[in-house]
C-alpha cells in the first residue's frame, strides 16, 4: 500500500483561481505537453492539477519549467506545438483547422503566426512585470525557430484521412486500377497543363493536391465524386514520379 496521506481533490473554486492566474498561452502549452491536446475547445476546463506548477511563478521560472518539458518533445511536433500554443486554429473556421493544419493556406498561417508572436511579445500580463524590449525576447525566438524550421508532423495525415473517406464511400463505386489516370486526364482534373504536371516535383504536387482537396472536399461544399477523382489522380501521379526520384 502507498504510504502517506491521500492527495486532496482540488476544489472547483481553487481550479478556477488557478486558471485565472496562469496565462492562457501557458495553459495551452502545458495542456499540449502533458496531454497532446490540440483542440482548444476545452481549455476553459483544464484541470487545476496540470497548471498548479505554473502558479505563483515568475516568467523566468515558468519558461525554465516548460523548457524542461519541451526537451522531450519530438522535433516532428514542434510546429504543431507552436500552432497550438498560439491557438492559430481560431483564424481558420474550417474542418482542417483542428485536425489537419498542414492542409491550411500556409502563407496565411505564417502571417497569423507573425502577428500573434508580436502580440505576445507586447503582452504585459504575459511578462508579469518584466521589462519589454524592442527586440523579440529569446523565449519567443525559440518559437519562431520551431515554427519556421519545422513542418507539421505526419505529412500523410491528409492522405490517410482521404483514404479513409474513400474507403467509407467506396461501396457503390467500381474499383479503378492503379494506372487508370493519364497525364492528360490529370491535367483536366488539376486544371493545369500536363507539361507542368509532368515536371512538377512530388512536393509541388502534394501542395497542389492539398489546395484542391480543401476546395473539393464535401465538408467544405465540394463534390464527393470530384474529391475522389482528384485523390486517385494524385496517387497515380505520385506512383509515376517516385521512380524518377522527384
Amino acid at each position: 500500500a502507498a504510504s502517506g496521506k491521500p492527495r486532496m481533490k482540488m476544489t472547483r473554486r481553487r481550479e478556477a483561481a488557478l486558471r485565472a492566474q496562469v496565462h492562457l498561452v501557458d495553459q495551452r502549452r502545458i495542456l499540449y505537453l502533458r496531454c497532446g491536446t490540440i483542440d482548444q475547445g476545452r481549455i476553459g476546463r483544464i484541470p487545476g492539477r496540470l497548471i498548479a506548477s505554473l502558479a505563483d511563478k515568475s516568467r523566468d521560472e515558468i519558461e525554465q519549467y516548460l523548457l524542461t518539458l519541451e526537451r522531450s518533445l519530438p522535433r516532428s511536433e514542434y510546429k504543431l506545438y507552436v500552432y497550438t500554443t498560439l491557438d492559430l486554429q481560431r483564424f481558420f473556421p474550417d474542418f482542417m483547422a483542428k485536425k489537419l493544419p498542414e492542409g491550411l493556406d500556409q502563407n496565411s498561417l505564417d502571417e497569423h503566426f507573425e502577428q500573434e508572436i508580436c502580440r505576445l511579445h507586447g503582452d504585459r500580463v504575459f511578462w508579469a512585470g518584466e521589462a519589454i524590449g524592442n527586440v523579440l525576447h529569446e523565449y519567443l525566438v525559440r518559437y519562431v525557430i520551431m515554427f519556421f524550421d519545422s513542418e507539421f508532423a505526419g505529412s500523410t495525415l491528409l492522405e490517410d484521412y482521404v483514404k479513409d473517406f474513400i474507403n467509407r464511400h467506396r461501396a457503390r463505386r467500381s474499383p479503378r486500377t492503379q494506372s487508370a489516370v493519364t497525364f492528360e486526364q490529370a491535367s483536366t482534373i488539376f486544371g493545369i497543363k500536363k507539361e507542368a504536371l509532368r515536371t512538377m516535383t512530388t512536393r509541388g504536387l502534394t501542395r497542389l493536391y492539398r489546395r484542391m482537396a480543401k476546395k473539393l472536399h464535401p465538408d467544405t461544399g465540394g463534390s464527393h465524386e470530384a474529391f475522389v477523382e482528384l485523390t486517385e489522380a494524385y496517387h497515380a501521379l505520385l506512383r509515376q514520379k517516385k521512380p524518377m526520384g522527384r
Side-chain angles (χ1 to χ4, degrees), residues 20-211:
Q21 179 183 350
V22 177
H23 198 281
L24 197 55
V25 165
D26 297 325
Q27 292 184 43
R28 295 187 193 117
R29 292 155 80 187
I30 199 72
L31 188 59
Y32 185 94
L33 292 168
R34 291 298 193 189
C35 307
T37 301
I38 301 170
D39 189 348
Q40 297 300 301
R42 298 182 180 179
I43 192 67
R45 300 192 297 275
I46 184 173
R49 59 183 173 78
L50 286 182
I51 56 177
S53 54
L54 303 180
D56 302 315
K57 297 287 195 302
S58 68
R59 177 48 51 190
D60 282 335
E61 290 172 324
I62 291 173
E63 293 299 328
Q64 291 306 313
Y65 177 79
L66 292 174
L67 182 59
T68 300
L69 297 181
E70 287 171 7
R71 290 193 181 112
S72 62
L73 193 67
R75 183 179 180 84
S76 60
E77 294 186 29
Y78 282 1
K79 190 160 191 169
L80 188 59
Y81 171 57
V82 179
Y83 173 84
T84 303
T85 293
L86 297 180
D87 193 21
L88 298 178
Q89 64 185 249
R90 73 184 187 275
F91 298 109
F92 302 91
D94 54 44
F95 80 102
M96 289 188 178
K98 295 180 181 179
K99 300 295 183 181
L100 300 166
E102 68 269 31
L104 300 174
D105 182 331
Q106 298 301 301
N107 290 330
S108 178
L109 182 61
D110 290 349
E111 291 176 2
H112 285 300
F113 167 77
E114 292 168 1
Q115 292 169 3
E116 288 304 295
I117 204 73
C118 290
R119 185 191 63 77
L120 187 59
H121 175 73
D123 187 342
R124 296 187 179 279
V125 176
F126 178 77
W127 296 105
E130 276 195 28
I132 302 175
N134 295 325
V135 179
L136 194 66
H137 197 285
E138 61 181 332
Y139 290 148
L140 300 185
V141 169
R142 78 174 186 269
Y143 289 110
V144 174
I145 295 173
M146 278 183 168
F147 187 83
F148 286 114
D149 282 6
S150 308
E151 297 293 338
F152 282 114
S155 58
T156 61
L157 276 176
L158 180 59
E159 287 77 9
D160 292 342
Y161 178 85
V162 169
K163 288 177 184 177
D164 178 66
F165 179 91
I166 292 174
N167 289 335
R168 285 186 284 108
H169 295 80
R170 192 180 288 277
R172 297 182 181 179
R173 292 176 55 83
S174 57
R176 296 184 180 181
T177 61
Q178 289 192 345
S179 60
V181 180
T182 65
F183 274 104
E184 287 79 4
Q185 293 169 324
S187 173
T188 301
I189 293 169
F190 281 92
I192 64 174
K193 294 181 179 180
K194 64 180 181 180
E195 290 77 11
L197 277 177
R198 197 183 300 275
T199 59
M200 188 176 290
T201 63
T202 54
R203 177 176 292 185
L205 177 62
T206 298
R207 288 176 178 171
L208 175 62
Y209 165 70
R210 288 172 177 169
R211 289 198 300 272

